[in-house]
Amino acid sequence: MILLLALVIPAVTGTALILSGRAFRPSAEGNANTLSLVASVATAGFVTAAVINRPVLDQPWLPSLGVRMHFAVDGISAPLLILTAALSIAVVLNARSRPPHGGSSSTFYGCLQLVELGALATFLARDAVIFYLSFEIVLIPMWVLISRYGDSHDLAARADASGRFVLYTVLGSTLMLIGILALVQASGTANLDALAAAHGTGLARHMQIIIAALLLVGMGIKIPVFPLHTWLPPAHTIAPTAGSVMLAAVLLKMGTYGVVRLVIAPLPIGFGALAPAFAVVGVVGIVWGGLACLVENDLKRLIAYSSVAHMGFVVLGLSSGTTAGLQAALFANIAHGVVSALLFFLVGGLKERWGSADLATARAALREVSPRLGLALVVGFAASLGLPGLVGFWGEFLAMYSAWNPAPDRPQTLMRVLVVVAVLGAGVAAAYSLRVLRLIWSGDRTTPAHEDARGGEWSVLAALVCAVLVLGVAPGLVLNSTSKGVAAITMEVSR
Amino acid sequence: MSQAVVSVNAGILLPVLAPAVGAAVVLVTDVAVQHLRRVHYLIALASLVVGAVATFAGLGMVAGAARRTLCLPAGGQCMYVADSVTTTLQLAALLAAALTLLLSWPDDKKQSPGSTAVIMSLVLTATAGATAVAGAHDVGSWLVALELATLPTVALVALRGARSAISGAIALLTAALVSFALLALSAALWFTATGSGFLTPAAALVGFHDPVRRPILVLAVVVLIAGIGFKLSLVPFHAWTPEAYDGAPLPIAAFLAGVSKIAAAAALLVVIQAVAPLGEPPLAAMAIVAAVSMTLGNIMALRQDGVVRLLAWSTVAQAGWVVLPLAAVSSAAVHASGAYLLAYVLATLLAFAVVAALVQIRGAARARDLTEYRGLLSAHPVLASALGLALLSLAGLPPGVLGLVAKVAALRPVVTSELWVLAIVAAANAVLGVAVYLRWLLKVISSPEASEQASPPAVPDGAAPVAARAIRAHPATLVAVGLTAVALVLTSLSPQMLLGMLGR
């Protein structure tokens, strides 16, 4: 019941908001925001209740295809659910101070609600086909957010960015669907728990490799992994703030979460065979993203490239095949969710103030004219470069640590070389973070002045800064939640 | 035994008899009382509804169960066998035909009075052919029924009389004749190979186990697939499709995209079920045809600027998806093909219904031009939402969950048979398809001013709503849009409603 409510509220609110396009006149735009805020808070309440009570919903939905409406919460999905619900409130709250441009605001909020629905359903799903369906729910609302509410300076670029986002993602998810269907067919169940418990017994090695390859390529587009990442920078650059935040902090996580659920747990042999290649592309992404950040002059695009780098650490952790590595990956997942949300809120706000996100233009130094924004920026980039004591540190440090001592069936030399390269990538991250701080935070210029963060925007930034600090000091909050589920997966992997 | 009488159960045959009798009644009424229009529509609609109700008994039967009639006294071979898939396709054909009638409901004096009866009887005859071919299990009635489903559509396309209608009708007629020639040839080959007039697995196996007759049987199947390829507009037999759709009146184009496709697919499924025991070889052609149809259909649809032509090419691509599961030999494949067909028909008819409503509101020229759809969401939010749902269903993305489920169902037999290359081609085409339909949808959701003014803050939201023209769509058209949209929403929430009909 709790689970059903957590899904039905965003579904109904989102649909109602979109269909009621004309009911909310421009004068009453605040109403759409309030309604959306109430719905998001209620959803967050039910999600929290679900995380505490761990209810299970299991109903037949499509008997002809053997698909069940099966939703549940476990330690691996719980932090992601909380992250999704919290950020859904945050984007609505932020939009109170910075309303959307480009169309009716009720459609905007409706799309956000549907994105939340899709993300929650993805993390809750316990049926492989429902997982795929939920994965797809976020697509169209996000496409609408980018193509209608995105940066309208260059309409051709906007159409290109939204089209690229949706086409890449559809290709990825359809490949994933083929992999899921093959997995379900080969193992005889679509139940994710049963798939994880079976650990690929009875599946021939070549079959496991084929299925794992399909799934990894499919989800690699979503994560995104190095050569498949080219949709991400334009999408982030064009998307409105709320879209960028949800995209970076929630949607990318669906890919890594899917890798844990659908590849590592049910296909240990197949993943083991492909893990070295997966780790290599992850580390290439770390270096590539970092180098791109060093020269990139569009601030939003820069953060998008840094996302590619951070997700590279997640990929490295996943590939290590150890408990610590999986833990690190899941933690880095959450950490990137918090940090990228913080940075995209900041940069989205800055872009609206500045009129563009170009770093080459001389601006007033944030530390002089807007100390609140400046503080949040410093914390955000400090976390991004992996400073100990902040949230970014644990995931990346543990990922490299675990990859240095990978599972016995992984090529140790290769993994160690990759760790060395990743360390260099972390150094590049420090360089580009400091470059950005030097360009827009430090300095003495006070013109052109702009307003500091206030109201909804400031409360969101403050909450995220707190989350960065708290999770940095007490990573156990997340690690304890995921440890049990991770142990169940890797115990069998290393067997 | 010289007894040549077959058993007849009129109740089981009612889905076929109702529209056929309806056609006769319409013609008789026209002779008795002239200048009627609405009455003809009502008779036609009533006969379609009767036929549709008569199918209910055969829905959702367990696998293997079927309602049979026209059985020979000796041996028990039946010429009419309706299992769940057959019955569901009959229901879909009848409802699609009823929807076509709603779209063409008379509202003014444009139509000459005499032609109403003709159009009604042609529609009913073609529908009777469609429902008959689904159940026909002997070569003779299968062939006659399939042509009965095809030939009236040529007249329906041509009746508008415009130049484009004539060229469309000629394209359709040519295709129909070539396909009839191929089908007649394949029927003859089938009889030669199997020595049986029945399209049954038993007959097929007789021919298959004889090394001399086996090549003839394979040739029969291949020629037959080519013949049906014309009707389903599968590449390379698709060329007539855009011409005919574009030239036909819109409701007739909807009829071609709905009822005619159901008839062709039903005919194909009858044959597929008969040759399924032979295994993969005869069906390898299916995989190639499916892959090529999808790809070419999507690429061409991506280049169209006319809405009807876009939908025409989209039916080519979707026909590829319908036959995609048939590349794998299993009973699940037939179900999957049926499921995809139903989802496609429902979504396509909704798209046609919305376009028909827009033709009435904005005039044919604007409603058929893709660029004129810019800003439809703010001008006609309800119609635009319905169109969006239809397009997303065709693209197979939520909220069009039905289309997504159909995609899952269609891919499953392909993956089960480990046809990886075909599966990857299908995945690529899923992307192309999304591009096709989102190109249209992007126009629908974009703000009307966006093309001229690049700076959004300058335009206060809703400041200048284009004064809605007072012309409204005909109520019957809106009913058609509403019914189809509700059906699509319900089946998206619970796809089992549709899939359950196809059998357990």
Side-chain angles (χ1 to χ4, degrees), chain A residues 47-132:
Chain A
V47 167
T48 317
V51 166
I52 295 167
N53 287 334
R54 305 284 161 98
V56 175
L57 176 74
D58 192 1
Q59 291 281 326
W61 183 60
L62 206 53
S64 303
L65 298 178
V67 179
R68 299 181 68 81
M69 273 283 172
H70 190 179
F71 295 108
V73 187
D74 70 1
I76 294 179
S77 56
L80 289 162
L81 288 167
I82 300 280
L83 179 76
T84 306
L87 286 176
S88 303
I89 301 176
V91 289
V92 180
L93 209 56
N94 184 65
R96 242 178 143 74
S97 315
R98 313 227 139 251
H101 299 298
S104 89
S105 61
S106 62
T107 309
F108 178 83
Y109 293 117
C111 287
L112 282 180
Q113 291 288 324
L114 293 183
V115 170
E116 180 183 10
L117 164 74
L120 288 178
T122 305
F123 296 137
L124 285 171
R126 278 294 175 283
D127 182 288
V129 178
I130 293 286
F131 175 86
Y132 162 73

Side-chain angles (χ1 to χ4, degrees), chain A residues 10-37 92 95 99-115 141 144-145 148-149, chain B residues 377 381 461:
Chain A
V12 171
T13 324
T15 316
L17 279 169
I18 290 173
L19 292 183
S20 71
R22 283 183 159 181
F24 292 99
R25 285 273 148 218
S27 56
E29 274 185 358
N31 293 351
N33 183 295
T34 312
L35 177 61
S36 188
L37 192 60
V92 180
H101 299 298
S104 89
S105 61
S106 62
T107 309
F108 178 83
Y109 293 117
C111 287
L112 282 180
Q113 291 288 324
L114 293 183
V115 170
V144 173
L145 283 177
R148 196 158 167 211
Y149 299 91
Chain B
L377 187 65
D461 198 11

Side-chain angles (χ1 to χ4, degrees), chain A residues 22 26 61 63-64 104 152 155 178, chain B residues 378 423 445 450 454 456 461 493 496:
Chain A
R22 283 183 159 181
W61 183 60
S64 303
S104 89
S152 55
L155 292 175
I178 295 172
Chain B
S378 41
I445 66 159
D461 198 11
L493 288 175
Q496 183 60 27

Side-chain angles (χ1 to χ4, degrees), chain A residues 384-407:
Chain A
S384 182
L385 68 81
L387 210 63
L390 296 178
V391 71
F393 169 73
W394 296 106
E396 303 188 353
F397 173 74
L398 284 174
M400 290 189 277
Y401 169 81
S402 59
W404 189 259
N405 292 308

Side-chain angles (χ1 to χ4, degrees), chain A residues 17 37 40 62 90 96 147 185 203 254 296 307 332 355 443 482 487:
Chain A
L17 279 169
L37 192 60
S40 290
L62 206 53
R96 242 178 143 74
S147 62
Q185 175 64 30
L203 280 177
M254 289 161 47
E296 182 59 57
S307 284
T482 52

Side-chain angles (χ1 to χ4, degrees), chain B residues 150-227:
Chain B
T150 311
L151 290 177
T153 59
V154 179
L156 283 171
V157 171
L159 271 178
R160 195 169 72 158
R163 200 184 172 80
S164 62
I166 300 299
S167 76
I170 289 175
L172 183 54
L173 183 65
T174 316
L177 290 177
V178 174
S179 106
F180 176 72
L182 288 173
L183 291 173
L185 174 63
S186 79
L189 288 170
W190 175 274
F191 194 74
T192 314
T194 64
S196 163
F198 284 91
L199 289 163
T200 56
L205 281 175
V206 168
F208 197 65
H209 289 314
D210 182 346
V212 179
R213 289 190 283 176
R214 185 185 298 177
I216 305 177
L217 181 64
V218 172
L219 185 63
V221 173
V222 170
V223 173
L224 190 140
I225 288 174

Side-chain angles (χ1 to χ4, degrees), chain A residues 255-327:
Chain A
T256 43
Y257 175 79
V259 171
V260 175
R261 283 273 184 231
L262 283 167
V263 185
I264 298 182
L267 299 164
I269 299 171
F271 183 71
L274 297 171
F278 198 50
V280 167
V281 292
V283 170
V284 172
I286 295 175
V287 176
W288 186 274
L291 292 177
C293 285
L294 278 180
V295 294
E296 182 59 57
N297 269 337
D298 183 301
L299 192 49
K300 281 189 106 173
R301 193 178 277 267
L302 186 148
I303 298 175
Y305 274 115
S306 83
S307 284
V308 177
H310 288 301
M311 296 316 276
F313 282 102
V314 178
V315 168
L316 183 63
L318 291 175
S319 310
S320 73
T322 62
T323 314
L326 264 188
Q327 282 273 53

